């Protein structure tokens, strides 16, 4: 049977052998049991493991209805959030929707323009957004924060709430705001109860960076018109596939083991390489997933991303000839939704006429293969993950593949993959500075 996600490590075999991988089997078994029995470090945040099977169906239907209402009524929809309360939705929309979604004619888009805010403290960005929103008639907000007290998103929500109140009157903003937050507690939950906002819950047992398949990611995606059921179906398929315990049957586990094998050999950085600009934000999501899960106790691979072929003209030099301290994981999409072919040109000035009529995607594929071979020959272990095409189903599968690989990989590394104690350090310093102004 053809695999939906193909994992290939042929171009890493110079660095790792089968015997070494087998040595991970006892640790892998322990990691698998930790996740599936909800045991071990971070067990309180392993709800994502069974989520595709156990998500709340009635909440899902309510979410579809809310998304549809916003889609029908809004000109502009602003999602306010940061980190795990932002990257999933943004990356999925960029991956699954047309590149210039907000610039499309409204009839073709079929829903509102979608903007993101609160993922930083830039006053310029906020001012520019507010200025743009002055030209929109019907503005709706989705504020996403599990704690409700995250500085960046809280500050921006204040500004947007004030703008909505000024524009529509205090009594009329309630129906324009949907809150996604903790089920029971926190500042946003209190405000939601007091002001009667519509709301969705972020389950207690799912941390921010594993939350894209909950309302955190799904509501904005629904507003963007993405088929949410397909995403869930893909994630469910992956949940079944990647719940198998053995290394031979589970490519998510094989990927996790190989990452750790390479790490133990001094490869301390992983570069995710993609060949579609629509993956730029997905790479940011992936960086957060692995970086926050593994980078602790002075351990962990540094997750970085490159967008090819663009970055071959910038970072390509470093990758080919710089220090050999990293490996590369290429994420390749077999079929493009575009069938564009190279045009012929009178006079053949650039000498490329031999490519006339050839599909651009097949040229991109040669670029991918050639690049992997060149980097391999330059001393970079190369892994490859291939999906057949970009669609909601494959997206759901890919998200779950990486989440599962990350949970397992963190356990193999010997850390708690579900906490982020280091994130608090900067917050303490910033709040101390703010209080002592
Ligand atoms: O993964 C995480 O837990 C973090 O990135 C959080 O999602 C991020 O800090 C935002 O937190 P909150 O949802 O509480 O606003």
């Amino acid at each position: 049977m053809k695999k939906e996600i193909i994992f290939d490590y042929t171009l890493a075999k110079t660095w790792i052998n089968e015997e070494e991988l087998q040595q991970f089997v006892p640790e892998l078994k322990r990691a698998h049991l930790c996740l599936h029995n909800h045991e071990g470090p971070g067990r309180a945040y392993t709800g994502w493991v069974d989520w595709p099977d156990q998500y709340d169906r009635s909440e899902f239907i309510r979410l579809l209805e809310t998304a549809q209402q916003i889609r029908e009524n809004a000109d502009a929809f602003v999602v306010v959030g940061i980190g795990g309360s932002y990257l999933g939705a943004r990356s999925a929309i960029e991956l699954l929707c047309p590149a210039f979604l907000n610039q499309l004619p409204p009839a073709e888009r079929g829903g509102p323009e979608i903007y993101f805010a609160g993922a930083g403290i830039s006053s310029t960005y906020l001012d520019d957004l507010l200025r743009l929103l002055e030209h929109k008639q019907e503005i709706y907000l989705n504020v996403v924060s599990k704690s409700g007290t995250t500085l960046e998103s809280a500050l921006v929500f204040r500004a947007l709430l004030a703008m909505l109140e000024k524009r529509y009157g205090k009594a009329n903003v309630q129906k324009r705001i949907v809150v996604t937050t903790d089920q029971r507690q926190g500042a946003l939950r209190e405000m939601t109860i007091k002001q009667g906002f519509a709301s969705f819950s972020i389950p207690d047992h799912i941390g921010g960076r594993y939350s894209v398949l909950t309302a955190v990611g799904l509501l904005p995606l629904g507003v963007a018109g993405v088929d949410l059921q397909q995403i869930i179906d893909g994630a469910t398929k992956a949940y079944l596939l990647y719940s198998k315990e053995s290394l031979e049957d589970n490519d998510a586990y094989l990927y996790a083991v190989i990452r750790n094998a390479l790490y133990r050999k001094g490869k301390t950085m992983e570069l995710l390489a993609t060949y579609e600009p629509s993956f730029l934000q997905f790479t940011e999501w992936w960086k957060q997933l692995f970086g926050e899960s593994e980078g602790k106790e002075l351990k962990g691979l540094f997750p970085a991303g490159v967008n090819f072929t663009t970055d071959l003209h910038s970072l390509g030099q470093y990758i080919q000839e710089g220090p050999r301290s990293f490996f590369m994981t290429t994420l390749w999409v077999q079929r493009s939704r575009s069938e564009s072919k190279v045009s012929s040109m009178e006079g053949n000035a650039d000498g490329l006429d031999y490519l006339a009529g050839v599909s651009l995607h097949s040229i991109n594929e040669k670029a991918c293969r050639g690049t992997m071979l060149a980097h391999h020959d330059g001393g970079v272990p190369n892994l490859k993950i291939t999906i057949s095409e970009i669609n909601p189903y494959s997206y759901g599968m890919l998200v779950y593949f990486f989440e599962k690989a990350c949970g397992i990989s963190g356990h193999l590394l010997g850390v708690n993959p579900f906490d982020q104690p280091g994130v608090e350090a900067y917050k303490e310093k910033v709040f101390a500075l703010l209080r002592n102004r």
Side-chain angles (χ1 to χ4, degrees):
M1 202 183 70
K2 201 172 167 310
K3 284 181 175 178
E4 280 101 341
I5 297 180
I6 301 166
F7 177 70
D8 177 18
Y9 68 105
T10 311
L11 292 181
K13 287 187 175 168
T14 315
W15 291 270
I16 35 177
N17 62 49
E18 188 55 31
E19 207 180 309
E20 284 169 316
L21 300 184
Q22 289 303 325
Q23 284 167 6
F24 278 87
V25 167
E27 288 171 68
L28 180 63
K29 187 169 180 172
R30 274 195 296 277
H32 172 85
L33 290 176
C34 272
L35 291 188
H36 282 271
N37 294 341
H38 307 284
E39 293 166 350
R43 59 189 166 278
Y45 296 100
T46 49
W48 59 270
V49 175
D50 312 299
W51 185 250
D53 185 45
Q54 293 184 357
Y55 71 95
D56 182 336
R57 268 69 177 169
S58 59
E59 184 86 338
F60 182 72
I61 291 170
R62 192 169 69 82
L63 187 147
L64 288 174
E65 288 165 358
T66 306
Q68 187 54 32
Q69 280 163 14
I70 297 174
R71 218 171 139 66
E72 284 165 13
N73 295 316
D75 299 328
F77 177 63
V78 185
V79 185
V80 181
I82 191 167
S85 291
Y86 147 77
L87 283 163
R90 172 130 191 225
S91 60
I93 288 174
E94 294 205 1
L95 191 63
L96 298 170
C97 298
F100 306 103
L101 184 72
N102 286 346
Q103 286 75 40
L104 287 176
E108 200 172 322
R109 195 173 48 240
E113 294 172 16
I114 300 180
Y115 297 96
F116 291 89
I121 315 175
S122 163
S123 51
T124 316
Y125 182 90
L126 181 60
D127 275 3
D128 289 350
L129 177 64
L130 288 169
R131 201 150 358 108
L132 176 108
L133 293 175
E134 278 172 23
H135 304 283
K136 307 294 163 195
Q137 295 295 313
E138 300 294 339
I139 304 164
Y140 283 68
L141 287 192
N142 177 209
V143 53
V144 189
S145 175
K146 193 168 186 181
S147 62
T149 49
T150 300
L151 181 67
E152 293 89 337
S153 45
L155 291 178
V156 168
F157 179 50
R158 273 174 173 244
L160 291 172
L161 182 61
M163 178 272 289
L164 289 185
E165 287 179 348
K166 195 166 161 215
R167 171 84 81 91
Y168 304 107
K170 223 171 160 68
N172 301 317
V173 295
Q174 179 222 33
K175 65 167 189 174
R176 297 176 181 275
I177 296 177
V178 182
V179 175
T180 308
T181 190
D182 189 273
Q183 267 163 320
R184 282 173 289 273
Q185 56 188 14
L188 260 182
R189 178 52 68 196
E190 280 169 31
M191 202 191 273
T192 301
I193 296 168
K194 213 161 122 197
Q195 307 214 21
F197 299 141
S199 72
F200 290 93
S201 297
I202 308 177
D204 287 346
H205 58 345
I206 299 185
R209 60 190 175 275
Y210 292 84
S211 70
V212 62
L213 299 176
T214 71
V216 172
L218 295 185
L219 182 67
L221 276 160
V223 174
V226 173
D227 186 336
L228 303 185
Q229 191 59 59
Q230 281 293 306
I231 294 184
I232 295 290
D233 289 350
T236 306
K237 178 71 188 285
Y239 162 69
L240 296 171
L241 266 180
Y242 305 120
S243 289
K244 294 178 184 153
E245 193 182 311
S246 91
L247 192 53
E248 286 70 29
D249 296 331
N250 191 328
D251 281 346
Y253 289 10
L254 185 57
Y255 172 50
V257 162
I258 290 175
R259 296 177 83 249
N260 277 272
L262 290 168
Y263 177 68
R264 290 179 194 182
K265 293 192 165 188
K267 305 296 178 190
T268 55
M269 189 173 21
E270 178 178 12
L271 281 185
L272 185 72
T274 54
Y275 285 77
E276 299 279 348
S278 59
F279 271 113
L280 274 168
Q281 288 298 324
F282 185 86
T283 301
E284 295 303 308
W285 171 84
W286 175 90
K287 278 159 62 177
Q288 190 211 4
L289 180 67
F290 281 93
E292 241 178 36
S293 299
E294 294 191 318
K296 50 198 75 159
E297 298 173 32
L298 304 179
K299 293 191 265 190
L301 282 157
F302 183 82
V306 280
N307 166 38
F308 288 159
T309 59
T310 311
D311 289 337
L312 287 172
H313 299 259
S314 63
L315 290 171
Q317 172 60 38
Y318 184 102
I319 295 166
Q320 192 66 42
E321 295 183 352
R324 306 296 73 186
S325 53
F326 59 91
F327 64 93
M328 181 170 287
T329 299
T330 296
L331 183 48
W332 175 250
V333 184
Q334 259 166 349
R335 280 193 300 279
S336 166
R337 65 168 181 253
S338 152
E339 290 177 359
S340 283
K341 293 191 168 58
V342 176
S343 342
S344 50
M345 189 167 72
E346 209 180 306
N348 190 22
D350 56 11
L352 292 176
D353 232 15
Y354 70 100
L355 292 174
V358 175
S359 82
L360 277 174
H361 188 65
S362 71
I363 297 175
N364 209 12
E365 197 271 332
K366 297 281 187 301
C368 174
R369 249 195 300 157
T371 302
M372 286 181 67
L373 288 171
H375 292 159
H376 168 268
D377 294 352
V380 179
N382 270 260
L383 313 178
K384 190 176 187 189
I385 295 166
T386 305
I387 59 170
S388 53
E389 61 183 25
I390 299 173
N391 58 40
Y393 187 89
S394 63
Y395 169 76
M397 283 198 77
L398 205 52
V399 160
Y400 195 87
F401 173 90
F402 279 126
E403 286 182 349
K404 196 65 187 295
C406 185
I408 291 288
S409 186
H411 276 299
L412 295 178
L413 189 66
V415 299
N416 174 354
F418 310 116
D419 67 359
Q420 53 284 329
V423 178
E424 293 312 310
Y426 101 89
K427 291 185 188 169
E428 277 168 28
K429 295 282 185 213
V430 173
F431 280 117
L433 291 172
L434 289 173
R435 286 197 193 98
N436 296 328
R437 271 175 313 125

